[in-house]
Amino acid sequence: MTSLTVPLERALQVAADDVAIVVAGGGTLTYRELATRARRLGHALRERGLHQGDRVAVAGPNTLGHLELLLSVPLAGMVVVPLNARHTDDELLYALRDSGSRVLFTDRDPTPFRDDVEHVLALEEDYEALVAPGGEEAAWAEGLDRDSLAALFYTGGTTGAAKGVMTTHGGMTSNALHFMSSWPFGPETRWLVAAPLFHAAGSVAVVPTVWTGGTQVLLDAFHPGKVLDLIASERVTDTVLVPTMIAAIIDEQQREPRDVSSWRRLMHGGSPIAMQTLRRCHETFPDLELAEVYGATETGPLLTMFKGEHELLDDPRGRSCGQPIVGVQIRLVDEAWQDV
């Protein structure tokens, strides 16, 4: 398994027409339809002069098109560039120029980007036209291997310009395998994509969920009430959230309780979490398994996991970020690369 063509092909065998991606506010898409649309997109981009290795950027909310682009662009042999939808136009322009993106899908006014990007397309209207029925369903790109570049994730702009982290097909498939070895993904999984897809917290479970034939529920923008409503209506089983999201959901559930009996597991990461927040979470959702995950965009992203965190809230180990996940080795070294 050397490229990302494997997950969708596997999904066709396992899920076919029976498993759907569900969009908040209405709309579903089966994995068979997703694979068809992905092929059409690749063909449409090649018809516009793009070649293997060309960069295709996306900046916008969590939409069906956004999620499809994360999978479809690498499958077409091109490189997807997910950009922070919260950035200013100038910040986006920096990343577009730095990555050399030839196409930008966005929900913003296209005017500021037209001088720097060949094709600026509306994330919904233009995208849907590209994948509409009638387009040729070309095969996946050939010649991809584990070292082929799949994505450029821009990150780390806190103290300077964001940098593009190069992620290969092999890196993405390995990370998916490692995640699946450490977390119970399966056909029964109903994963809520609540964090932004341009962030590791939003995209980390996309490939494993597709690969195992699970269902993904897309939330376009975070709101604690919408999260709880989706968990109740779509019978969500798993999700990953950052600590500020968890605090907001606790307050909302205490204010207006929802039926979250389907919710089995909550993973958190992105920043340190206060023990008081974890205790409040356990009190509010007593049947929820809590787990911390640690990593960085530069590391693929997953490094460590701390499962069963809710059982050690009064134990010193409760402050741990866990142990290396399957397939990961960690060394602690000093500036001279000596083990410490």
Side-chain angles (χ1 to χ4, degrees), residues 303-325:
L303 287 177
T304 69
M305 185 179 294
F306 179 19
K307 298 177 69 174
E309 188 178 31
H310 55 287
E311 298 175 349
L312 295 170
L313 296 180
D314 295 316
D315 188 292
R317 289 173 292 174
R319 298 182 181 276
S320 169
C321 64
Q323 297 177 321
I325 64 171

Side-chain angles (χ1 to χ4, degrees), residues 91-108:
E91 289 173 314
L92 291 182
L93 277 170
Y94 166 81
L96 289 167
R97 293 165 180 162
D98 185 67
S99 63
S101 294
R102 296 185 61 191
V103 179
L104 169 64
F105 289 93
T106 184
D107 62 342
R108 298 193 186 196

Side-chain angles (χ1 to χ4, degrees), residues 206-222:
V206 168
V207 173
T209 308
V210 173
W211 207 330
T212 54
T215 297
Q216 303 192 60
V217 181
L218 277 177
L219 179 65
D220 54 356
F222 177 80

Side-chain angles (χ1 to χ4, degrees), residues 198-283:
F198 63 77
H199 192 280
S203 62
V204 67
V206 168
V207 173
T209 308
V210 173
W211 207 330
T212 54
T215 297
Q216 303 192 60
V217 181
L218 277 177
L219 179 65
D220 54 356
F222 177 80
H223 182 279
K226 289 180 70 173
V227 168
L228 292 168
D229 289 342
L230 276 176
I231 291 173
S233 64
E234 298 297 337
R235 309 303 294 164
V236 166
T237 61
D238 301 76
T239 192
V240 58
L241 301 171
V242 300
T244 54
M245 291 177 172
I246 295 173
I249 288 171
I250 293 169
D251 292 340
E252 178 67 19
Q253 179 71 357
Q254 292 179 349
R255 184 186 69 82
E256 183 182 339
R258 275 76 154 183
D259 175 10
V260 294
S261 55
S262 65
W263 197 11
R264 295 285 181 261
R265 291 166 288 271
L266 169 60
M267 181 182 297
H268 64 88
S271 63
I273 191 168
M275 290 301 297
Q276 181 59 26
T277 301
L278 286 174
R279 291 191 179 94
R280 290 184 64 220
C281 186
H282 184 51
E283 292 168 1

